[in-house]
Amino acid sequence: MQKPTVRPAQISSKSLVISVIIATCNRPDLAYRAVCRVLEQSLEATQVIVVNNGSSLKNQARYKELFSSIEHRIDYVDLCSQHSVGVGPSVARNIGLAYAKGDYVTFCDDDDEWTDEHYLSAISSVLSQCQPAILFADQQAMRADGSLQSEHWFTRAQLLAKAKPLDTEHFYNVMPQYFYEHGGFPHLNVTLYQTKLIQQVGGFCQGLDYEEDFELFHRFIGHVDNLMYYDRVVSRHHIPNPCLEENVTTQMSDCHKQLSRLYIFDKMLIENRDPRLLQFATTHGSYAAGRIAEWAMNQENYTLAYRMAKQSLGWKLSAGMLKIWCQTVWRK
């Protein structure tokens, strides 16, 4: 499939606007905290878009109560009905994108929070001068008990070793190859996309409810090379408590997650011709199929285990999958 023409827009430093999209569902107090943190930004040219995605009637009332004092400072998009049926995170964020007026757009999950009030101000001049397709920063990860899981989202020394410093302190150019070699990707909370470009590549994949941000990032960098890193911790990611099952991710089985990942890597193979990305998709697609095969073996579903082990081996030969495949052949 031929890549669409993707050209960065020309942005005036005097008119730079950044749009921030916060999609939320049934977490009014957390969403209020996230929005207030964004509203604390010292950059005046900031548009805040809140998309309420199918909250319950009780929580709709709570949202109205909390947001009444700041409603004049945000664009509030209400997708709720009396049936409280959400449209999913991908659709909700894409609806937010339709309201975005900024030259760049970024996101914050409703249960997370930005921690640097000068974040957008610090990057605005660099965005205007260099006009990268993507700019990403760093963040901390906090456990549900309040303890710090990690001081940095990336292996910082590893990332900086592959980055090229710019004249402006704390800013670096990063090639997409880094993510193909080391895996991982910038969290949605700390990633800015040129708005026109994200619209050109189609926004979030609406068929996904897991790692839709991972799929968007890799689809996006398949079309551009100008990525920029801001070496500062600007956000705090609150890791969902798996015991509570109050988060879309924690409600999913591991099999569902791996099935979503398998879809993503199949999609990469179909839509791209970049050999680096194809190798990346092949390696990780094999791993996802292998995880499903292992799950099926534990469930004693040997037919499924056979098929998924065979698919995993078709992507990439591994001793572990060869063993499972042989076991399922014997049982069949």
Side-chain angles (χ1 to χ4, degrees):
M1 180 179 294
Q2 187 176 2
K3 291 183 181 180
T5 301
V6 176
R7 297 189 181 92
Q10 295 300 311
I11 300 168
S12 169
S13 59
K14 294 183 180 180
S15 62
L16 178 76
V17 176
I18 298 176
S19 298
V20 185
I21 297 172
I22 301 174
T24 182
C25 180
N26 286 322
R27 294 194 287 207
D29 292 89
L30 292 176
Y32 180 72
R33 179 188 67 185
V35 173
C36 287
R37 293 291 182 271
V38 174
L39 290 175
E40 290 171 357
Q41 288 294 304
S42 57
L43 182 72
E44 293 184 2
T46 305
Q47 177 196 20
V48 182
I49 305 165
V50 179
V51 183
N52 193 336
N53 174 26
S55 296
S56 67
L57 292 175
K58 178 181 178 181
N59 280 322
Q60 287 178 44
R62 180 61 175 161
Y63 277 104
K64 185 175 181 180
E65 175 189 355
L66 288 171
F67 282 76
S68 61
S69 62
I70 58 173
E71 59 183 358
H72 63 289
R73 300 183 62 190
I74 64 175
D75 292 327
Y76 191 83
V77 184
D78 191 351
L79 303 181
C80 299
S81 69
Q82 61 180 355
H83 302 293
S84 302
V85 178
V87 296
S90 294
V91 176
R93 293 188 186 115
N94 282 346
I95 290 173
L97 281 171
Y99 285 82
K101 301 174 183 176
D103 304 285
Y104 282 87
V105 62
T106 186
F107 306 85
C108 184
D109 288 345
D110 62 354
D111 57 342
D112 295 329
E113 56 184 319
W114 287 1
T115 56
D116 182 354
E117 64 184 87
H118 302 299
Y119 166 38
L120 298 184
S121 292
I123 65 175
S124 60
S125 61
V126 174
L127 291 176
S128 297
Q129 293 168 14
C130 302
Q131 303 187 7
I134 294 178
L135 184 146
F136 62 96
D138 200 357
Q139 70 175 0
Q140 297 175 333
M142 304 289 292
R143 299 185 182 90
D145 62 6
S147 62
L148 186 65
Q149 183 191 64
S150 60
E151 194 71 48
H152 298 279
W153 189 251
F154 306 96
T155 305
R156 183 169 173 270
Q158 187 183 75
L159 175 60
L160 294 181
K162 293 286 186 178
K164 180 181 178 181
L166 300 179
D167 292 336
T168 306
E169 190 179 10
H170 308 309
F171 288 89
Y172 298 79
N173 277 329
V174 180
M175 297 301 293
Q177 182 66 25
Y178 170 82
F179 297 100
Y180 302 147
E181 293 176 354
H182 300 285
F185 67 106
H187 195 279
L188 202 58
N189 291 339
V190 292
T191 307
L192 288 91
Y193 294 90
Q194 269 206 24
T195 305
K196 288 186 178 180
L197 299 189
I198 198 173
Q199 291 170 345
Q200 284 184 48
V201 302
F204 292 89
C205 177
Q206 298 188 170
L208 286 170
D209 54 7
Y210 177 68
E211 292 206 340
E212 66 281 353
D213 49 350
F214 171 88
E215 190 277 334
L216 172 66
F217 177 77
H218 281 87
R219 173 158 40 95
F220 200 103
I221 66 174
H223 300 291
V224 299
D225 290 321
N226 50 336
L227 282 65
M228 190 172 292
Y229 172 56
Y230 176 51
D231 185 30
R232 280 289 178 267
V233 172
V234 301
S235 178
R236 183 176 296 127
H237 170 57
H238 295 281
I239 302 169
N241 187 342
C243 300
L244 296 180
E245 295 190 354
E246 61 182 8
N247 177 278
V248 172
T249 301
T250 56
Q251 292 173 1
M252 292 180 183
S253 67
D254 185 61
C255 183
H256 184 137
K257 293 176 183 177
Q258 297 306 322
L259 186 61
S260 293
R261 289 178 64 83
L262 194 58
Y263 169 80
I264 289 170
F265 296 123
D266 275 328
K267 189 172 183 289
M268 287 181 182
L269 291 176
I270 292 171
E271 296 179 349
N272 292 276
R273 290 294 180 267
D274 188 325
R276 303 167 302 176
L277 184 56
L278 296 180
Q279 181 60 47
F280 175 81
T282 299
T283 299
H284 291 274
S286 176
Y287 176 76
R291 287 285 296 273
I292 298 174
E294 291 171 353
W295 174 85
M297 282 291 287
N298 291 333
Q299 299 294 315
E300 298 184 356
N301 186 340
Y302 302 116
T303 299
L304 177 60
Y306 168 80
R307 290 171 178 168
M308 297 312 298
K310 185 177 180 181
Q311 182 170 345
S312 178
L313 289 169
W315 288 58
K316 186 176 182 180
L317 182 64
S318 72
M321 279 305 101
L322 188 60
K323 180 179 179 181
I324 289 180
W325 181 76
C326 290
Q327 289 175 337
T328 57
V329 170
W330 176 77
R331 289 179 180 274
K332 289 177 68 178

